[in-house]
Amino acid sequence: MIDLHTHSCASDGTVPPEKIPELAAAIPLGAVALTDHDTVTGIDAFCEAAKAYPDLIAVPGVEISTDYSGKEIHIVGLFIDPHNDVLLEFLERQREERCRRNEMIFRKLASLGYPLDAGEPEFSRFSDASAIGRPHFAAALRRIYGFSDLQEVFRKLLGRDRPAYVRRKTPDPATAIDVIHAAHGVAVWAHPVYRQRNESAFVRRFCKKFAPLGLDALECYYSLFGPPETQMLLQTAQDFGLGISGGSDFHGEHSTAQLGTGMGGLAVPDDAFATLAARKR
């Protein structure tokens, strides 16, 4: 069993990057990838810690937010070189945009009667302000203003089309694919039916456009997918000659998805790893 989609506290997770190999080895997983949002700052610590577990393959990765037809599309890069100049310059621009978005969220929340201070512990623990994401805002709002849980914060304030939501300026998927390839990585469309179920027509339309532009694989196994979603994506991957990936989208305490097993029924097959590794540039 493998997990090729996880997050650490280098982005919006809660677990230190060097702790993830230990958790993965205890399951045990055969391979685990660290795919933090728009940053590779945790990769070196993650890979170094994995050396203590010779039966575990540690995969350096990143998750890049993009926009296509008004929908937020996440492209995961696996097997990347985290020190590649093209990748690092691109991610720096992404982080600058994240900081702009976060400042706008602070302002909107204040105007709505929910002021937050940048010195709150949910924010101050990050040396890189761009690592702050909506889950951290939600955690601070819950603690200070008595929301019942993080989901309530998103429903009322931070979710899409809610009053404190701020859309980020993001690149198109082709740009993210090119950057991942420049870093010698494999480009995977993450959770293709994450927002709405049974989006077969959109998935096929996307693959028809981006498979010729270098999309390498689909994330067919995911914490929120049932058998129909997985089967549809497996068939689509086969139809378009794409590889197969999968992962939990583990965020630590910020999500109920568990490392390796997701919501309890996730089991990404080991043989998916070989097909992805074969596509590494």
Side-chain angles (χ1 to χ4, degrees):
M1 192 166 65
I2 61 178
D3 191 338
L4 302 180
H5 188 165
T6 75
H7 298 278
S8 75
C9 64
S11 66
D12 59 347
T14 61
V15 177
E18 62 273 17
K19 181 73 172 179
I20 288 181
E22 177 186 341
L23 298 177
I27 291 174
L29 295 178
V32 64
L34 178 60
T35 56
D36 278 321
H37 292 283
D38 300 317
T39 183
V40 292
T41 55
I43 294 295
D44 285 346
F46 164 74
C47 290
E48 183 63 31
K51 293 178 181 178
Y53 307 97
D55 294 330
L56 176 70
I57 300 173
V59 179
V62 67
E63 184 171 7
I64 299 172
S65 299
T66 73
D67 181 86
Y68 175 67
S69 295
K71 297 188 70 168
E72 185 172 329
I73 301 292
H74 289 190
I75 306 294
V76 163
L78 299 175
F79 307 102
I80 59 167
D81 172 7
H83 304 290
N84 178 270
D85 288 340
V86 173
L87 175 66
L88 292 176
E89 290 172 7
F90 172 83
L91 293 179
E92 178 60 29
R93 294 193 297 272
Q94 293 284 87
R95 286 195 294 274
E96 289 173 357
E97 175 58 19
R98 279 182 173 272
C99 288
R100 182 202 68 83
R101 189 271 306 269
N102 287 342
E103 181 59 33
M104 289 296 296
I105 292 176
F106 275 116
R107 292 179 184 178
K108 281 198 168 190
L109 287 171
S111 72
L112 293 165
Y114 298 96
L116 293 176
D117 190 283
E120 303 294 350
E122 290 83 0
F123 309 131
S124 62
R125 65 187 178 92
F126 293 100
S127 58
D128 180 359
S130 69
I132 296 170
R134 284 183 296 159
H136 306 111
F137 282 97
L141 289 165
R142 178 189 180 189
R143 177 176 59 83
I144 295 171
Y145 293 104
F147 287 94
S148 61
D149 53 33
L150 300 185
Q151 288 70 31
E152 184 186 8
V153 182
F154 275 89
R155 285 195 304 271
K156 291 188 175 181
L157 293 172
L158 294 175
R160 290 176 182 277
D161 301 321
R162 297 293 88 200
Y165 177 76
V166 178
R167 186 182 183 88
R168 281 197 297 137
K169 297 177 182 177
T170 52
D172 63 277
T175 298
I177 291 168
D178 288 346
V179 168
I180 290 167
H181 288 172
H184 316 298
V186 174
V188 181
W189 182 11
H191 40 69
V193 292
Y194 179 59
R195 296 298 174 189
Q196 297 179 27
R197 298 300 179 91
N198 301 317
E199 297 178 308
S200 178
F202 178 78
V203 169
R204 295 188 70 84
R205 186 166 71 249
F206 185 92
C207 292
K208 183 177 181 179
K209 179 177 177 66
F210 290 101
L213 297 179
L215 181 67
D216 293 300
L218 297 181
E219 191 172 69
C220 300
Y221 298 90
Y222 184 69
S223 291
L224 298 181
F225 291 172
E229 289 79 28
T230 292
Q231 187 54 48
M232 181 271 287
L233 290 168
L234 289 172
Q235 184 62 56
T236 304
Q238 180 178 330
D239 292 344
F240 287 91
L242 298 171
I244 294 166
S245 187
S248 63
D249 207 356
F250 172 71
H251 280 75
E253 294 176 6
H254 287 160
S255 171
T256 54
Q258 300 301 305
L259 187 69
T261 58
M263 303 301 182
L266 182 68
V268 185
D270 292 337
D271 56 7
F273 183 87
T275 64
L276 290 170
R279 293 172 181 260
K280 184 179 183 301
R281 286 158 179 77

